[in-house]
Amino acid sequence: MSAPITLHQLTEQLEALESEAAAAIEAAASTAALEDLRVGLLGKKGRLSGVLGAMGKLPGDERPLVGQRANVLKEQVQSLLAGRLGALETAAMAAKIARETIDVTAPASFVPAGHRHPLISTTEEIVDIFAGLGYRVSEGPEIETDYYNFTALNIPPHHPARDMQDTFYLEDGRLLRTHTSPVQIRYLETNPPPVRIVAPGRVYRRDAVDATHSPMFHQVEVLAIDEGLDFSHLRGTVMAFLKAFFGDLPVRFRASYFPFTEPSAEVDVQWRGRWLEVMGCGMVDPAVLEGMGLDPERWSGFAAGLGVERFCMVRHGIDDIRRLFTSDLRFLEQF
Ligand code: DAH
């Protein structure tokens, strides 16, 4: 058995505990370190318990001296722990607030809002006007067959109209469509009359680029088939459309020729003192109707095709078609 413990020794242990505890608590850098200290000092197997355990070996009259002192120490340590815990929590909160400070003077992150290309918004405007007249939108492929682009539109292989619309051919004989008129045929193949559609889209021609020509441009096709439609319906529709788009400008119809309409006309509007051609149109040729299995004695209709670039350029006063395709933001940001 070890040597009997003395009051003096236990008193010294308590004093040592007191000064060490104060220093260690003050130095604790985290709440976790503080909890470790609490367990080591005041826990069941902690140092204070050790002293109290040894106390039982003292003579009876000496025990209260150690017990009182130990109780005082326990309270001191508890209050030091609580004080340090409060200080650590306050510091943590202060650091968190400092980290989360918002610098209201910092430049905002800014994503500029995009907007539609002027050709897209012009197309939408045109389509919207026809939608208001009861037309639905239909679309067709940009890569077409000879049949839809020419033959079914009453343009047989050696027809001179083909020279005016030279295009780009694929090796398999298909071609880039030269106009949106083939959508008339595609739609009529699957939809019985009455029909009222507009067909917007890209078209292609083998043209050299200049201020008014581009090998790729946009059209909107119009087609109406019903019983009893005649040229006055065509004219009324075109006039209503042009008035909605341009306002009250002088309009004239000029006799013209297209293989798929009879009679045919070109339409001009007077703009800044001169006549500008804006669209082709006409009554659907009976040969086209017959080709679609429709009896021309019963069904009749009209069609029109307009160039979106022309409408866009007139609307915005754009002098050169190439500006619409060069993606120059200094130009595009104006719309
Ligand atoms: N497809 C013709 C072209 O691109 C334009 C056109 C003219 C379309 C008369 C029509 C029409 O539907 O009736 O030159």
Side-chain angles (χ1 to χ4, degrees):
M1 225 188 135
S2 56
I5 202 102
T6 66
L7 174 62
H8 179 67
Q9 284 172 319
L10 285 185
T11 308
E12 275 190 336
Q13 280 184 23
L14 286 175
E15 277 166 7
L17 191 54
E18 185 178 348
S19 62
E20 280 171 37
I25 289 170
E26 197 48 48
S30 68
T31 55
L34 209 56
E35 176 62 10
D36 286 346
L37 273 176
R38 190 190 66 76
V39 171
L41 293 167
L42 307 179
K44 265 190 194 156
K45 295 174 182 165
R47 288 174 65 183
L48 196 64
S49 295
V51 173
L52 291 172
M55 188 177 77
K57 293 172 186 154
L58 288 179
D61 59 338
E62 287 178 357
R63 286 180 204 162
L65 297 173
V66 174
Q68 273 170 19
R69 178 113 196 213
N71 277 336
V72 171
L73 179 59
K74 184 179 177 188
E75 274 167 25
Q76 272 178 358
V77 169
Q78 277 172 337
S79 96
L80 285 173
L81 285 168
R84 183 67 187 147
L85 183 64
L88 284 173
E89 283 173 352
T90 306
M93 180 57 75
K96 189 169 183 228
I97 288 170
R99 257 199 323 277
E100 292 177 359
T101 297
I102 296 170
D103 179 359
V104 294
T105 67
S109 60
F110 175 67
V111 181
H115 60 77
R116 285 171 171 68
H117 189 280
L119 282 175
I120 301 294
S121 49
T122 302
T123 304
E124 287 181 352
E125 199 180 327
I126 294 167
V127 167
D128 276 358
I129 293 170
F130 278 100
L133 296 173
Y135 286 69
R136 328 187 65 159
V137 176
S138 182
E139 286 176 303
E142 291 173 30
I143 297 175
E144 260 303 2
T145 62
D146 183 281
Y147 170 76
Y148 288 108
N149 196 81
F150 294 124
T151 313
L153 287 163
N154 207 24
I155 313 174
H158 297 289
H159 195 287
R162 291 198 177 207
D163 289 343
M164 319 253 305
Q165 299 194 1
D166 195 11
T167 184
F168 303 91
Y169 287 85
L170 278 70
E171 276 176 6
D172 63 7
R174 287 184 303 163
L175 48 86
L176 299 188
R177 68 179 178 188
T178 59
H179 50 181
T180 44
S181 302
V183 184
Q184 294 187 27
I185 305 301
R186 288 183 173 274
Y187 192 84
L188 289 175
E189 269 182 350
T190 46
N191 297 275
V195 159
R196 277 172 185 73
I197 55 158
V198 274
R202 288 198 186 96
V203 302
Y204 303 82
R205 300 227 180 136
R206 228 202 82 182
D207 270 335
V209 179
D210 65 22
T212 54
H213 292 86
S214 163
M216 186 280 296
F217 56 103
H218 298 73
Q219 290 188 332
V220 175
E221 191 78 12
V222 184
L223 176 68
I225 308 276
D226 208 331
E227 284 170 321
L229 289 184
D230 59 39
F231 202 93
S232 65
H233 298 106
L234 165 59
R235 190 179 152 80
T237 303
V238 168
M239 295 299 283
F241 162 68
L242 291 175
K243 184 170 178 180
F245 191 92
F246 288 114
D248 262 323
L249 292 183
V251 176
R252 77 177 179 194
F253 282 66
R254 266 184 299 114
S256 184
Y257 170 78
F258 298 102
F260 36 90
T261 47
E262 177 61 32
S264 304
E266 273 168 284
V267 184
D268 305 335
V269 294
Q270 205 173 52
W271 180 261
R272 293 182 179 159
R274 61 194 191 95
W275 288 105
L276 266 184
E277 180 192 323
V278 292
M279 59 202 289
C281 62
M283 301 307 294
V284 177
D285 194 301
V288 173
L289 293 174
E290 268 166 10
M292 300 316 300
L294 299 174
D295 176 5
E297 297 297 325
R298 179 178 174 200
W299 302 105
S300 61
F302 58 83
L306 54 93
V308 177
E309 278 76 4
R310 174 59 67 84
F311 279 74
C312 181
M313 289 169 75
V314 170
R315 160 64 57 83
H316 298 293
I318 297 167
D319 59 347
D320 191 321
I321 195 172
R322 289 168 287 199
R323 296 192 195 284
L324 293 168
F325 301 119
T326 42
S327 301
D328 184 338
L329 287 180
R330 292 169 304 175
F331 169 75
L332 293 174
E333 276 168 358
Q334 299 175 65
F335 300 94

